[in-house]
Amino acid sequence: MGVQQGPAPACQPIRIESHLDGSSDRSLAEDVLDGLTRPFKELPPKHFYDSRGADLFDQICELPEYYQTRTERTILEERADELAELTAANELVELGSGTAAKTRVLLDALQAAGTLERYVPVDVTESMVRGCAEALVEEYPGLTVHGVIGDFERHLAHVPVAQGPRIVAFLGGTIGNFPPGSRRRFLREIGRLLGPEDHLLLGADLVKDPRVLQAAYDDSRGVTAEFNRNVLRVVNRELQAEFDPEDFEHVALFDEHHEWIEMRLRARRELTARVSALDMCVHFDAGEELRTEISAKFTRERLQGDLAAAGMELTHWLTDPDELFVLSVSRPAA
Ligand code: AVJ
């Protein structure tokens, strides 16, 4: 479905297709209706990212405690040439491309190797896809961009057929947001974008000292706390709800058994909030918690197992000297 814009002439360097149809509002409504009426309240983390949430996340990435973004970037900078050589990729498909900040490191290396032809960003934010498409065709002469505006959990089938060896990149550690079962299912769907000559480049945060993890999700300046509470502002605005974000305390804890971080919002008092658009009221007991995110941390064995279960074979494990974060490379299993 979606709004097809028709085939562009071959000389056109940019082609963009949107598969959004207002169903993202529906998904918030469904997630609130479903998640806030459960015995253990829960909302999926994708609803953090309105423009204020995206801005807060950018601030998180700059925090001294939040090592992930800069560590991944450093690994990419140090290993991009090697990645370009081992993949010989003509195209880069990027899931959740955003501003394509880290992408340029890879594009530079593919350009230098002389194989780069096409970039395929997949992102829900239309302005991001259009903005980066325009910037990148200027920066990389000869590059074509085929942008897919959509949700990578729902619209992977709209990624165009490969034109040559490709890299599918899913960076930033967002794979950690999927609970284990859905994670394997999602990896299997990504696997469908890969032919025998293609590679998956997957960024993942690693298991480490719980104090380091804890600090990364409960920073001293309280930026993560604001980011967490922002989901309530999104619900207030989009669904005409009446939560007071200040009624909720930010909670971040490392679950050592599951090896994941959980973020929660804990009601400071008993309260009832109306959600007008859904014609419902949500009740919290004092101290009751709403889970807003899980962020799984990986070991090599764990990631290798998940990839194998999804039909992929881990081939390279690119990490920093402190083993904080990994850029894993895999390919379809023979
Ligand atoms: C964007 C999902 C990778 O899990 O670390 C940052 C989001 N949450 N601080 C993460 C996040 C709290 C982030 N990911």
Side-chain angles (χ1 to χ4, degrees):
M1 281 183 303
V3 188
Q4 303 287 340
Q5 305 205 323
C11 58
Q12 206 75 30
I14 297 178
R15 169 174 176 170
I16 292 182
E17 285 167 14
S18 176
H19 302 285
L20 295 182
D21 44 16
S23 60
S24 64
D25 323 348
R26 199 163 67 229
S27 116
L28 177 68
E30 280 167 6
D31 290 342
V32 167
L33 185 59
D34 184 31
L36 295 192
T37 57
R38 289 183 193 177
F40 293 96
K41 295 181 172 65
E42 179 165 24
L43 282 177
K46 66 176 175 191
H47 302 302
F48 283 132
Y49 302 93
D50 64 346
S51 66
R52 183 168 183 272
D55 192 61
L56 287 164
F57 179 65
D58 286 346
Q59 290 179 43
I60 289 174
C61 293
E62 304 282 315
L63 291 170
E65 294 100 328
Y66 196 80
Y67 54 85
Q68 295 185 50
T69 314
R70 60 176 171 272
T71 307
E72 184 180 50
R73 174 174 253 285
T74 305
I75 300 169
L76 206 48
E77 280 165 355
E78 285 178 5
R79 313 298 288 268
D81 291 338
E82 187 183 333
L83 288 168
E85 194 184 341
L86 79 93
T87 62
N90 292 157
E91 60 179 43
L92 174 62
V93 178
E94 186 173 19
L95 310 181
S97 48
T99 56
K102 285 173 266 192
T103 314
R104 284 178 173 79
V105 180
L106 264 178
L107 293 177
D108 284 345
L110 294 171
Q111 174 97 319
T115 59
L116 180 65
E117 288 172 12
R118 182 166 74 156
Y119 177 54
V120 182
V122 181
D123 203 280
V124 275
T125 310
E126 168 156 6
S127 59
M128 297 260 199
V129 175
R130 292 193 186 279
C132 92
E134 275 158 29
L136 292 173
V137 296
E138 290 295 320
E139 287 171 45
Y140 299 87
L143 181 73
T144 63
V145 176
H146 186 140
V148 178
I149 300 165
D151 180 344
F152 54 64
E153 285 189 69
R154 292 189 294 141
H155 300 122
L156 282 193
H158 298 289
V159 169
V161 172
Q163 292 179 339
R166 76 168 21 156
I167 299 175
V168 174
F170 189 36
L171 303 178
T174 303
I175 190 65
N177 279 168
F178 291 84
S182 341
R183 181 197 305 149
R184 289 183 172 192
R185 189 175 60 220
F186 183 61
L187 289 174
R188 183 166 285 283
E189 279 163 22
I190 292 179
R192 290 205 263 212
L193 303 176
L194 302 176
E197 308 297 311
D198 300 339
H199 292 85
L200 169 64
L201 185 61
L202 180 67
D205 198 19
L206 297 174
V207 172
K208 59 183 64 64
D209 185 339
R211 287 165 301 184
V212 175
L213 286 168
Q214 191 86 36
Y217 291 85
D218 195 4
D219 63 277
S220 57
R221 277 188 254 163
V223 182
T224 309
E226 271 318 300
F227 174 74
N228 195 6
R229 284 191 278 263
N230 190 58
V231 73
L232 296 176
R233 297 181 201 277
V234 171
V235 173
N236 283 348
R237 187 188 58 241
E238 298 298 322
L239 301 174
Q240 293 79 52
E242 293 166 353
F243 290 101
D244 180 351
E246 294 313 314
D247 281 339
F248 292 84
E249 186 186 348
H250 169 65
V251 177
L253 51 90
F254 182 55
D255 178 332
E256 301 207 20
H257 172 68
H258 291 108
E259 298 182 315
W260 66 46
I261 283 277
E262 279 196 32
M263 293 212 312
R264 303 174 183 175
L265 290 167
R266 181 185 293 150
R268 293 190 162 116
R269 57 177 183 93
E270 186 190 353
L271 62 96
T272 301
R274 191 167 156 70
V275 185
S276 296
L278 299 176
D279 196 22
M280 69 187 257
C281 286
V282 180
H283 178 265
F284 279 84
D285 290 327
E288 188 177 342
E289 294 175 332
L290 156 64
R291 181 163 62 191
T292 52
E293 180 169 53
I294 68 165
S295 186
K297 307 305 161 192
F298 294 85
T299 57
R300 185 176 180 143
E301 296 65 38
R302 176 83 147 322
L303 196 58
Q304 196 158 9
D306 287 335
L307 288 162
M312 282 180 279
E313 171 187 23
L314 180 70
T315 62
H316 298 76
W317 184 258
L318 313 181
T319 185
D320 55 293
D322 298 321
E323 305 202 346
L324 296 173
F325 197 91
V326 69
L327 262 183
S328 66
V329 181
S330 42
R331 63 175 176 213

